[in-house]
Each structure stands twice: as structure tokens, then as C-alpha cells.
Amino acid sequence: MNNCVFCKIAQKEINAYIISESENFLSFLDIHPHAPGHTLVIPKFHFQNFKELSEELGIEFIKIVKETINLISQALKTNDFTLGINEGPLAGQAVLHLHLHILPRFKNDKGGSIHSVVFNQPQQSLEEIYEKIKNASES
Ligand code: AMP
């Protein structure tokens, strides 16, 4: 897509520190790393959300994520990672081309767990929310 920075990286119009590549995916170092080895995994063609990832491509996606983690793990000597997708602007997605963040974690790295991303306590009970979700999946 025109003017998408990640499409340009995928098409090699913009340089990036590529870690791993497969037929339809690419992983490369984040230009503003929040941790040593902070890496992004993207599809080579444009779509915005994880929700749009097809089942066929899902296996290839998981493969490159695992391969990238294994390489970083060996190189930077850590087995601990936070993995995350900012799925949509309300979740903080700035680049509207699917990307998974791989954040290597280290002792005393001043980071938190996934629980620190949001604290929006539900007004409804678990039962009410559960019913809504179940009804959605059945309709
Ligand atoms: P998000 O907030 O999840 O959309 O994150 C977008 C990420 O893309 C940020 O962490 C940026 O640092 C990263 N980023 C933006 N442009 C580039 C680039 N040219 N090369 C590598 N990473 C980039």
C-alpha cells in the first residue's frame, strides 16, 4: 500500500535490520527499541489486523515468530519475552499494517507484565460478559 512504511520495508524500498524472512513474512529490528533485540514481525503484503490473518498463513506466521525468538534468545542470552500486538488505534497501533512486537526481557529491565497495559475494570459481571461473548459466537 502506498505510504505504508512496513510495505516499503517488505518491498526493500526502506532498509531495515532483517532478522528472518519467509515467503510471506519478515522480521526486523524496531527502529525505536524498547529493549535490546526489540523486533517486529510483519506480513509482506498489506493488511491491518491480526483478525484478518488467514488460517493458511497462521502457521507460517507462528513459524517465523518462533524462529525469530530462537535467534534472539541465542544471541542475547535470554529465554524470556513479551509478545504483543497493538490491535487497532485504541490499543496503541500507530502503523496500520499488522505487526507483532517481540520484546526480549532481562533481569531488572524496568518493564512490567502484560497486566500493566490497561486497567479498565469491567462494570458488568463475568457472567454477563461471558453470555455476550457466547451469544456472539453462536450467532
Ligand atoms: P505500533 O505502536 O504497535 O504501531 O508500533 C509501531 C512500531 O513500528 C514502533 O515501535 C516503531 O518504532 C516501529 N517503526 C516505525 N517505523 C519503523 C522503521 N522504519 N523501521 C523499524 N521500525 C519502525
Side-chain angles (χ1 to χ4, degrees), residues 46-98:
H46 191 90
F47 58 96
Q48 183 177 334
N49 286 325
F50 182 76
K51 223 167 58 180
E52 296 164 55
L53 180 68
S54 70
E55 281 181 28
E56 291 75 23
L57 287 176
I59 290 173
E60 189 185 333
F61 181 62
I62 289 170
K63 263 189 179 171
I64 191 171
V65 170
K66 287 184 69 163
E67 185 177 302
T68 302
I69 286 174
N70 286 338
L71 288 168
I72 297 170
S73 186
Q74 281 176 42
L76 301 184
K77 313 281 180 243
T78 185
N79 290 316
D80 295 13
F81 291 86
T82 297
L83 307 181
I85 294 173
N86 293 324
E87 178 91 341
L90 296 182
Q93 185 176 16
V95 179
L96 301 181
H97 178 133
L98 172 67

